[in-house]
Amino acid sequence: MKKLGNTCKENVAALKGILTSEDILVFAFETQDGAACAAIYADGITDKALLGEQVARPLSREKTPKTAQEAAKILQAPETKTETDPLKIADEVLAGNTALLIDGVAEAVIIGMKKLSMRAIMEPPGAIAVKGPREGFIEDLKTNMSLVRNRLRTPKLQFKTLTAGKQSKTAIAVGYLDGIADEEIVKKIVDKIECIEIDGIPDSSYVAKFLAERPNSLFKPTGTTEKPDVLAAKMLEGRVAILVDGSPIALTLPYLLVEDFQGAQDYFVSPYRASISRLLRFFGVFVSVFLPAMYVAAQLFKLQILPLSFLLTISGSVQGIPLSPSLELFFLLLVLEILIEASVRMPKYVALALSVIGALVLGDTAVKAGLVSSSAIIIMALSGISAYTVPDLVGTTSILRLAFVVVAGSIGTFGVLLMTALVLYYLVTADAYGVPLLAPFSPLIRRDLKDSLLKTSMYGLDKRPKVLQSKNKTRLRNKGGKVNHGKN
């Protein structure tokens, strides 16, 4: 497409030929000596007050500038640049900026005046902590970048801004600490984002799919967080952050499975309490996945592994039940998933009533009617609650739980062991961006075990995780509480 000409009227017509929507407005005014000027902007996402104060008023008091650079000096706007390509100018207008056209100047001045209605910075509902910061990301990219910058006030913090989505033109920022993050991983992530060819990217989860080295994996491909303090801590360890405009969820790479068992609050309490919490989370996931399957296998194939008193209790509760143990528990887990999906998508007050109906009416009535046993209800409830000790793995644990129940009902205890071996084999062999998913347990990295399922004191975490292969390995020099008198 041709570049801009010297006539303001023709340039406005050329841009309006591209931006044909009715919400793309043209604000016409004149300089002091009568030269025509036009400011093209998108209604609703541009600050009109700033447009009049920083653009129209200064130019109307000055003589006509001869170049776009001269016009930018007259304006009272801190963010300006020049552009001659009409298509690029149209993209800037659609992004919320203003394009200034002046008669006799064959360039447009792009002025940053984006104004969007945004929600306030508040604590993320899915990452509530009793102790620690309560800030959370929002849906604006620049705000999220500023939150990270406020945590990491160093010139080593670098952001590379990219654009993806043919129609959405979504801005994506790749953040990392220069000299700490692996440069090869940063380059690989940037290359993958630049190769994205899709019409639109409404959320960071879309980007995560393209960054995955195993797209069909049952486990998630990237780490996620909604808290700036957590993201800053992960970047300090050597990870790369990906922020997507329009999404409050930041992505981190490389991703380790053990990250999901670590909570933000673990670093604000004693290491003993943090270690107990992590072990409880691991135990919760273990119970959620294996308890229903072992219950089914014990009833069908290996009843003798249960204590006699417990066996008599179960035998009394399952008498007269028309369904087999595997079908009974599979049906209950399916009902649980339906209740969860319905409660998430219903209004808040209706969801509360639905929880009461599901817990009391359906559960109690089903037991009294003899459709399911009370012991199966307890197993289902305990498994469902335990899964939410690690919210980021709920989707994975739900699928594994159903798969283990099916295998246990078909083959029994041997099937559960075989399925466990297959899952462990997959986890051991899986890696992404050169980092094993199951590290630091496989391969065993003793130094990184200090911040895995067990957490040592802060002085014990003087080195960055070895598995991330950071060039700068030391993150704490004042080790053991000794005063450092300026020595490196």
Side-chain angles (χ1 to χ4, degrees), residues 176-193:
Y176 62 98
L177 287 170
D178 190 21
I180 295 179
D182 192 332
E183 295 179 359
E184 294 183 2
I185 294 178
V186 174
K187 184 179 183 303
K188 192 172 184 179
I189 291 172
V190 171
D191 292 341
K192 281 181 175 288
I193 294 175

Side-chain angles (χ1 to χ4, degrees), residues 348-424:
K348 181 172 61 175
Y349 302 106
V350 180
L352 180 62
L354 178 67
S355 301
V356 176
I357 293 172
L360 298 180
V361 179
L362 290 180
D364 185 59
T365 304
V367 173
K368 289 182 179 178
L371 296 176
V372 294
S373 63
S374 56
S375 57
I377 291 285
I378 295 173
I379 295 295
M380 181 268 291
L382 184 58
S383 176
I385 293 172
S386 299
Y388 282 89
T389 56
V390 184
D392 289 337
L393 289 178
V394 167
T396 302
T397 54
S398 297
I399 297 173
L400 287 175
R401 180 172 55 198
L402 290 172
F404 271 94
V405 167
V406 172
V407 172
S410 304
I411 312 176
T413 310
F414 175 75
V416 174
L417 294 176
L418 180 61
M419 187 76 172
T420 303
L422 291 175
V423 172
L424 287 176

Side-chain angles (χ1 to χ4, degrees), residues 4-47:
L4 295 179
N6 291 322
T7 307
C8 178
K9 185 176 181 180
E10 293 179 356
N11 292 337
V12 170
L15 289 175
K16 285 296 292 181
I18 301 172
L19 304 170
T20 57
S21 179
E22 294 182 357
D23 65 330
I24 305 299
L25 305 181
V26 179
F27 174 39
F29 58 96
E30 295 181 352
T31 61
Q32 187 183 35
D33 52 358
C37 301
I40 302 177
Y41 63 96
D43 192 19
I45 60 174
T46 302
D47 195 326

